Amino acid sequence: MQKQLNVLICDDSALIRKKLKNILEVCKCHSIEEAEDGIVAIQKAKEMKPDLIFMDIVMPGKDGIKALEEIMNEDPALKVVMASSAGTQSHLKKALDLGAYDFIQKPITLEAVTAIIEKVIKGEKGENAHV
Amino acid sequence: MFSQYFGHYLLNNGLITAHQLKHALDLQKITHVKFGVIAVDEGLLTSKQVEEIHEKQKQQDKRFGEIAVDLGFLTKEQVDLMLSSQKKKHLYLAQAVVDQNYMTIEEFTNALNEYKRIHSLSNEKFEAIKSGDIGAIVESLLHTNHPEKEGYAEYVSLFVKNIVRFIDDEVYVEASEEKNADAEWLVSQEIIGEKPLWSALAADEKVFLEIASVFAEEKLTEADELAQASVSEFLNLHNGIFLVNMSNKGTELEMKPQKVDHDSIVSVHKENSLCISINTSKGKFQLILSHSPENVIISDKRKENQTV
């Protein structure tokens, strides 16, 4: 039986959280939690120990890059996928240098999310960026 | 897009009425562009020759191209070439306007030439505009109305392209002289770095909900969190693409989170700002830009009213 993932979505946009949740439900993820900023994401990451986190970069309060840094310090094995509309090379490099598993360009598509989930289930390394 | 743009030029110059423009734009969606219009546009025939062929067509059951060849106006090769151009979208408006007798082909051609002259367009640029090149259209708009603000052209062009990609392909942009926008809903985002830019979209609630619904891909009837998130995400997505374009040219920029204001008045610094009216089939809204975000003032309309 295929492993089912626990996923945490962190995005300040209610629309993105809703759309990503719908996609993850299609992908049959087991448990889907939401966080609307970096502070809540750090807290929820500690509590639920997700298999995968989708993290927006530009957010009020604690942004995604700062949240990524703290999450990686706490648990370097966590898989965090950064999602941004500004997929510049410098953003990509910064995220991967800090230990991000992958990087996806918004708008988020079913194909991009499916590819990442399959990779996580297979236990593959996340060096391939979908920019 | 050129149809929208040139159609409004005809309207603003009193060459057709608002009703005629609307009717022509509706018709052009279903109008098949005829040979005569293409031939005149290509400079292969004069409008007089087209009239002559039309007269002949009333007398004999032959196609336009065949008669043109018979009369020695065109070669067979030219007719074949025109057939391949028959899908040129920019001529749909011309066909609709001529079919409805709002203008003759000659009047339409004269208006096109006048448009080219007024905007000081080279043949190459004019062809680009006629074929719907958004960058060329925006550049021409800013060049004519705000020559000192051509630095905004790249951003505005991308914005219009993203409106076409995500919201509505019937878009027409106009320069606006307003420096104070009265916004029922205002969604703004600041870009920081080497070239700072404050960008905002101001709309009334009806248009705001239309944009939100299209982008969210579901009918939204209230300007609630989801609707606000939808319009915000559209602006964020657009600005993200702009950042990638700038990064590819060697300028690294960052974005701040978007901000939503309700019932506000926006004041921008005249010298460093630009206001563009974006007309779509969903309604009209404003794109406001400023290279000096520190000079942008957003005040609460309700409080302003209380102090009056």
Coordinates of all heavy atoms in Angstrom, one line a residue, chain B residues 187-249:
Chain B
V187 N -5.7 47.1 -3.6 CA -4.8 46.0 -3.3 C -3.4 46.5 -3.8 O -3.2 46.9 -4.9 CB -5.1 44.7 -4.1 CG1 -4.1 43.6 -3.8 CG2 -6.5 44.2 -3.7
S188 N -2.5 46.6 -2.8 CA -1.1 47.1 -3.2 C 0.0 46.2 -2.8 O -0.2 45.3 -1.9 CB -1.0 48.5 -2.5 OG -1.1 48.4 -1.1
Q189 N 1.1 46.4 -3.4 CA 2.3 45.6 -3.1 C 3.5 46.5 -3.4 O 3.6 47.1 -4.4 CB 2.4 44.3 -3.8 CG 3.5 43.4 -3.4 CD 3.4 42.0 -3.8 OE1 2.9 41.7 -5.0 NE2 3.8 41.0 -3.0
E190 N 4.5 46.4 -2.5 CA 5.7 47.2 -2.7 C 6.9 46.3 -3.1 O 7.1 45.2 -2.5 CB 6.0 47.9 -1.3 CG 6.9 49.1 -1.5 CD 7.2 49.8 -0.2 OE1 6.3 49.9 0.7 OE2 8.3 50.2 0.0
I191 N 7.6 46.8 -4.1 CA 8.8 46.1 -4.6 C 9.9 46.9 -4.0 O 10.0 48.1 -4.2 CB 8.8 45.9 -6.1 CG1 7.6 45.0 -6.6 CG2 10.1 45.5 -6.6 CD1 7.4 45.0 -8.1
I192 N 10.9 46.2 -3.4 CA 12.0 46.9 -2.8 C 13.3 46.4 -3.4 O 13.4 45.4 -4.0 CB 12.1 46.7 -1.3 CG1 11.9 45.3 -0.9 CG2 10.9 47.5 -0.6 CD1 12.1 45.0 0.6
G193 N 14.3 47.3 -3.3 CA 15.6 47.0 -3.9 C 16.2 48.2 -4.7 O 15.8 49.3 -4.5
E194 N 17.0 47.8 -5.6 CA 17.7 48.9 -6.5 C 16.7 49.8 -7.2 O 16.9 51.0 -7.3 CB 18.4 48.1 -7.5 CG 19.6 48.8 -8.1 CD 20.3 47.9 -9.2 OE1 20.6 46.7 -8.8 OE2 20.4 48.4 -10.3
K195 N 15.6 49.2 -7.6 CA 14.5 50.0 -8.3 C 13.2 49.8 -7.6 O 12.4 49.0 -8.1 CB 14.4 49.6 -9.8 CG 15.7 50.0 -10.6 CD 15.5 49.6 -12.0 CE 16.7 50.0 -12.8 NZ 16.7 49.4 -14.2
P196 N 13.0 50.6 -6.5 CA 11.7 50.4 -5.8 C 10.5 50.7 -6.6 O 10.5 51.6 -7.5 CB 11.9 51.2 -4.6 CG 12.9 52.2 -4.9 CD 13.8 51.6 -6.0
L197 N 9.4 50.1 -6.3 CA 8.2 50.3 -7.1 C 7.0 50.0 -6.2 O 6.9 48.9 -5.6 CB 8.1 49.5 -8.4 CG 6.9 49.7 -9.2 CD1 6.8 51.1 -9.8 CD2 6.8 48.7 -10.4
W198 N 6.0 50.9 -6.1 CA 4.8 50.6 -5.4 C 3.7 50.4 -6.4 O 3.6 51.2 -7.4 CB 4.4 51.8 -4.5 CG 3.1 51.6 -3.7 CD1 3.0 51.0 -2.5 CD2 1.8 52.1 -4.1 NE1 1.7 51.1 -2.1 CE2 0.9 51.7 -3.1 CE3 1.3 52.8 -5.2 CZ2 -0.4 52.0 -3.1 CZ3 0.0 53.1 -5.2 CH2 -0.9 52.7 -4.2
S199 N 3.0 49.3 -6.4 CA 2.0 49.0 -7.4 C 0.7 48.7 -6.7 O 0.6 48.1 -5.6 CB 2.4 47.8 -8.2 OG 2.6 46.7 -7.4
A200 N -0.4 49.2 -7.3 CA -1.7 49.0 -6.7 C -2.8 48.8 -7.8 O -2.7 49.4 -8.9 CB -2.1 50.1 -5.8
L201 N -3.8 48.1 -7.4 CA -4.9 47.9 -8.3 C -6.1 48.5 -7.5 O -6.4 48.1 -6.3 CB -5.0 46.4 -8.4 CG -5.8 45.7 -9.5 CD1 -5.2 44.4 -9.7 CD2 -7.2 45.6 -9.0
A202 N -6.8 49.4 -8.1 CA -8.0 50.1 -7.4 C -9.2 49.8 -8.2 O -9.3 50.0 -9.4 CB -7.8 51.6 -7.3
A203 N -10.3 49.3 -7.5 CA -11.5 48.9 -8.2 C -12.7 49.1 -7.3 O -12.6 49.1 -6.1 CB -11.4 47.5 -8.6
D204 N -13.9 49.3 -7.9 CA -15.1 49.3 -7.1 C -15.4 47.8 -6.8 O -14.8 46.9 -7.4 CB -16.2 50.0 -7.8 CG -16.7 49.3 -9.1 OD1 -16.5 48.1 -9.2 OD2 -17.2 50.0 -10.0
E205 N -16.4 47.6 -5.9 CA -16.6 46.3 -5.4 C -17.1 45.3 -6.5 O -16.7 44.1 -6.5 CB -17.7 46.3 -4.3 CG -17.8 44.9 -3.6 CD -18.3 45.0 -2.2 OE1 -17.6 45.8 -1.4 OE2 -19.2 44.3 -1.8
K206 N -17.9 45.8 -7.5 CA -18.4 44.9 -8.5 C -17.2 44.4 -9.3 O -17.1 43.1 -9.6 CB -19.3 45.7 -9.4 CG -20.0 44.9 -10.4 CD -21.0 45.7 -11.3 CE -21.5 44.9 -12.5 NZ -20.4 44.6 -13.5
V207 N -16.3 45.3 -9.8 CA -15.2 44.8 -10.6 C -14.2 44.0 -9.8 O -13.7 43.0 -10.3 CB -14.5 46.1 -11.2 CG1 -13.3 45.7 -12.0 CG2 -15.4 46.9 -12.1
F208 N -14.0 44.4 -8.5 CA -13.2 43.7 -7.6 C -13.6 42.2 -7.5 O -12.8 41.3 -7.6 CB -13.2 44.3 -6.2 CG -12.3 43.7 -5.2 CD1 -11.0 44.1 -5.1 CD2 -12.8 42.9 -4.2 CE1 -10.1 43.5 -4.2 CE2 -12.0 42.3 -3.3 CZ -10.6 42.7 -3.2
L209 N -14.9 42.0 -7.4 CA -15.4 40.6 -7.3 C -15.3 39.9 -8.6 O -15.1 38.7 -8.6 CB -16.9 40.7 -6.8 CG -17.1 41.0 -5.3 CD1 -18.5 41.2 -5.0 CD2 -16.5 39.9 -4.4
E210 N -15.5 40.6 -9.7 CA -15.3 39.9 -11.0 C -13.9 39.4 -11.2 O -13.7 38.3 -11.6 CB -15.6 40.9 -12.1 CG -17.1 41.3 -12.2 CD -17.9 40.3 -13.0 OE1 -17.3 39.4 -13.5 OE2 -19.1 40.6 -13.2
I211 N -12.9 40.3 -10.8 CA -11.5 39.9 -11.0 C -11.2 38.7 -10.0 O -10.6 37.7 -10.4 CB -10.6 41.1 -10.6 CG1 -10.7 42.2 -11.6 CG2 -9.1 40.6 -10.6 CD1 -10.1 43.5 -11.2
A212 N -11.7 38.9 -8.8 CA -11.5 37.8 -7.8 C -12.1 36.5 -8.2 O -11.4 35.4 -8.1 CB -12.1 38.2 -6.4
S213 N -13.3 36.5 -8.8 CA -13.9 35.3 -9.2 C -13.2 34.6 -10.3 O -13.0 33.4 -10.3 CB -15.4 35.6 -9.7 OG -16.1 36.1 -8.6
V214 N -12.8 35.4 -11.3 CA -12.1 34.8 -12.5 C -10.7 34.2 -12.0 O -10.4 33.0 -12.3 CB -11.8 35.9 -13.6 CG1 -10.9 35.3 -14.7 CG2 -13.1 36.4 -14.1
F215 N -10.0 34.9 -11.2 CA -8.7 34.4 -10.7 C -8.9 33.2 -9.8 O -8.1 32.2 -9.9 CB -7.9 35.5 -10.1 CG -6.4 35.1 -9.9 CD1 -5.6 35.0 -11.0 CD2 -5.9 34.7 -8.6 CE1 -4.3 34.6 -10.8 CE2 -4.6 34.3 -8.5 CZ -3.8 34.2 -9.6
A216 N -9.9 33.2 -9.0 CA -10.1 32.1 -8.0 C -10.8 30.9 -8.7 O -10.8 29.8 -8.2 CB -11.0 32.5 -6.9
E217 N -11.3 31.1 -9.9 CA -12.0 30.1 -10.7 C -13.2 29.6 -10.0 O -13.6 28.4 -10.0 CB -11.0 28.9 -11.0 CG -9.9 29.3 -11.9 CD -8.9 28.2 -12.1 OE1 -8.5 27.6 -11.1 OE2 -8.4 28.0 -13.2
E218 N -13.9 30.5 -9.2 CA -15.2 30.2 -8.6 C -15.9 31.5 -8.4 O -15.3 32.6 -8.3 CB -15.0 29.4 -7.3 CG -14.3 30.2 -6.2 CD -14.2 29.4 -4.9 OE1 -15.2 29.3 -4.2 OE2 -13.1 28.9 -4.7
K219 N -17.2 31.4 -8.4 CA -18.0 32.6 -8.3 C -18.0 33.2 -6.8 O -18.4 32.5 -5.9 CB -19.5 32.3 -8.7 CG -20.4 33.5 -8.6 CD -20.1 34.5 -9.8 CE -21.0 35.7 -9.7 NZ -20.4 36.8 -10.5
L220 N -17.4 34.4 -6.7 CA -17.3 35.0 -5.3 C -18.3 36.2 -5.3 O -18.3 37.0 -6.2 CB -15.9 35.4 -5.1 CG -14.8 34.3 -5.1 CD1 -13.4 34.9 -5.0 CD2 -15.1 33.3 -4.0
T221 N -19.2 36.2 -4.3 CA -20.2 37.2 -4.3 C -20.0 38.2 -3.1 O -20.7 39.2 -3.0 CB -21.6 36.6 -4.1 OG1 -21.6 35.7 -3.0 CG2 -22.0 35.8 -5.3
E222 N -19.0 37.9 -2.3 CA -18.7 38.9 -1.2 C -17.2 39.2 -1.2 O -16.4 38.3 -1.4 CB -19.1 38.2 0.2 CG -20.6 38.3 0.5 CD -20.9 37.6 1.8 OE1 -20.2 37.8 2.8 OE2 -21.9 36.8 1.8
A223 N -16.9 40.4 -0.8 CA -15.5 40.8 -0.8 C -14.9 40.3 0.6 O -14.4 41.1 1.4 CB -15.4 42.3 -0.9
D224 N -15.0 39.0 0.8 CA -14.5 38.4 2.0 C -13.0 38.1 1.9 O -12.3 38.5 0.9 CB -15.3 37.2 2.4 CG -15.3 36.2 1.3 OD1 -14.6 36.4 0.3 OD2 -16.1 35.2 1.3
E225 N -12.5 37.3 2.9 CA -11.1 36.9 2.9 C -10.6 36.3 1.6 O -9.5 36.5 1.1 CB -10.8 36.0 4.1 CG -9.3 35.8 4.3 CD -9.0 34.7 5.3 OE1 -9.9 34.1 5.8 OE2 -7.8 34.4 5.5
L226 N -11.5 35.4 1.1 CA -11.1 34.6 -0.1 C -11.0 35.6 -1.3 O -10.1 35.5 -2.1 CB -12.1 33.5 -0.4 CG -11.7 32.4 -1.4 CD1 -10.4 31.7 -0.9 CD2 -12.8 31.4 -1.6
A227 N -12.0 36.5 -1.5 CA -12.0 37.4 -2.6 C -10.8 38.3 -2.5 O -10.1 38.6 -3.5 CB -13.3 38.2 -2.6
Q228 N -10.5 38.8 -1.3 CA -9.3 39.7 -1.1 C -8.0 38.9 -1.4 O -7.1 39.5 -2.0 CB -9.3 40.2 0.3 CG -10.4 41.2 0.6 CD -10.5 41.6 2.1 OE1 -9.4 41.8 2.7 NE2 -11.7 41.8 2.6
A229 N -8.0 37.7 -1.0 CA -6.8 36.8 -1.2 C -6.6 36.6 -2.7 O -5.5 36.5 -3.2 CB -6.9 35.5 -0.5
S230 N -7.7 36.5 -3.4 CA -7.7 36.2 -4.9 C -7.0 37.4 -5.6 O -6.1 37.2 -6.4 CB -9.1 35.9 -5.4 OG -9.0 35.6 -6.7
V231 N -7.6 38.6 -5.4 CA -7.0 39.7 -6.1 C -5.6 40.0 -5.7 O -4.7 40.3 -6.5 CB -7.9 41.0 -5.9 CG1 -7.3 42.2 -6.7 CG2 -9.3 40.7 -6.4
S232 N -5.3 39.8 -4.4 CA -4.0 40.0 -3.9 C -3.0 39.0 -4.5 O -1.9 39.4 -4.9 CB -3.9 39.7 -2.4 OG -4.7 40.6 -1.7
E233 N -3.4 37.8 -4.7 CA -2.6 36.7 -5.3 C -2.3 37.0 -6.8 O -1.2 36.8 -7.3 CB -3.2 35.4 -5.1 CG -2.3 34.2 -5.4 CD -1.0 34.3 -4.6 OE1 -1.0 34.7 -3.4 OE2 0.1 33.8 -5.1
F234 N -3.3 37.6 -7.4 CA -3.1 38.0 -8.8 C -2.0 39.0 -8.9 O -1.1 38.9 -9.7 CB -4.4 38.5 -9.5 CG -4.1 39.2 -10.8 CD1 -3.7 38.5 -11.9 CD2 -4.2 40.6 -10.9 CE1 -3.4 39.1 -13.1 CE2 -3.9 41.2 -12.1 CZ -3.5 40.4 -13.2
L235 N -2.1 40.0 -8.1 CA -1.0 41.1 -8.1 C 0.3 40.5 -7.7 O 1.4 40.8 -8.3 CB -1.4 42.2 -7.1 CG -0.5 43.4 -7.1 CD1 -0.4 44.1 -8.5 CD2 -0.9 44.4 -6.0
N236 N 0.3 39.6 -6.7 CA 1.6 39.0 -6.2 C 2.2 38.1 -7.4 O 3.4 38.2 -7.6 CB 1.2 38.1 -5.0 CG 2.5 37.5 -4.4 OD1 3.4 38.2 -4.1 ND2 2.5 36.2 -4.3
L237 N 1.3 37.4 -8.1 CA 1.8 36.6 -9.1 C 2.4 37.4 -10.2 O 3.5 37.1 -10.8 CB 0.6 35.8 -9.7 CG 1.0 34.6 -10.6 CD1 1.8 33.6 -9.9 CD2 -0.3 34.0 -11.1
H238 N 1.7 38.5 -10.6 CA 2.2 39.4 -11.6 C 3.6 40.0 -11.2 O 4.5 40.0 -12.0 CB 1.2 40.5 -11.9 CG 1.8 41.7 -12.5 ND1 2.3 41.7 -13.8 CD2 2.1 42.9 -12.0 CE1 2.9 42.9 -14.1 NE2 2.8 43.6 -13.0
N239 N 3.6 40.5 -9.9 CA 4.9 41.1 -9.5 C 6.0 40.1 -9.4 O 7.2 40.4 -9.7 CB 4.7 41.8 -8.1 CG 4.0 43.1 -8.3 OD1 4.2 43.8 -9.3 ND2 3.2 43.6 -7.3
G240 N 5.7 38.8 -9.1 CA 6.7 37.8 -9.0 C 7.3 37.6 -10.4 O 8.5 37.4 -10.6
I241 N 6.4 37.6 -11.4 CA 6.9 37.4 -12.8 C 7.8 38.6 -13.2 O 8.8 38.4 -13.9 CB 5.7 37.2 -13.8 CG1 4.9 35.9 -13.4 CG2 6.2 37.1 -15.2 CD1 3.6 35.8 -14.2
F242 N 7.4 39.8 -12.8 CA 8.2 41.0 -13.0 C 9.5 40.9 -12.4 O 10.6 41.2 -13.0 CB 7.4 42.2 -12.5 CG 8.1 43.5 -12.7 CD1 8.3 44.0 -14.0 CD2 8.7 44.2 -11.6 CE1 9.0 45.2 -14.2 CE2 9.4 45.4 -11.8 CZ 9.5 45.9 -13.1
L243 N 9.6 40.4 -11.2 CA 10.9 40.2 -10.5 C 11.8 39.2 -11.2 O 13.0 39.4 -11.3 CB 10.6 39.7 -9.0 CG 10.8 40.7 -7.9 CD1 9.8 41.9 -8.1 CD2 10.7 40.1 -6.6
V244 N 11.2 38.1 -11.7 CA 12.0 37.2 -12.5 C 12.6 37.8 -13.7 O 13.7 37.7 -14.0 CB 11.1 35.9 -12.8 CG1 11.9 35.0 -13.8 CG2 10.7 35.2 -11.6
N245 N 11.7 38.6 -14.4 CA 12.2 39.3 -15.6 C 13.3 40.2 -15.3 O 14.3 40.3 -16.0 CB 11.1 40.1 -16.3 CG 10.0 39.3 -17.0 OD1 10.2 38.1 -17.1 ND2 9.0 39.9 -17.5
M246 N 13.2 41.0 -14.2 CA 14.2 41.9 -13.8 C 15.5 41.2 -13.4 O 16.6 41.6 -13.7 CB 13.7 42.8 -12.6 CG 12.6 43.8 -13.0 SD 13.0 44.9 -14.4 CE 14.0 46.1 -13.5
S247 N 15.3 40.1 -12.7 CA 16.4 39.3 -12.2 C 17.2 38.8 -13.4 O 18.5 38.8 -13.4 CB 15.9 38.1 -11.4 OG 17.0 37.2 -11.1
N248 N 16.5 38.3 -14.5 CA 17.2 37.9 -15.7 C 18.0 39.0 -16.4 O 18.8 38.7 -17.2 CB 16.1 37.3 -16.7 CG 15.5 36.0 -16.1 OD1 16.1 35.3 -15.3 ND2 14.3 35.6 -16.6
K249 N 17.6 40.2 -16.1 CA 18.4 41.3 -16.6 C 19.4 41.9 -15.7 O 20.0 42.9 -15.8 CB 17.4 42.5 -17.0 CG 16.5 42.1 -18.2 CD 15.5 43.3 -18.4 CE 14.6 42.9 -19.6 NZ 13.6 43.9 -19.8

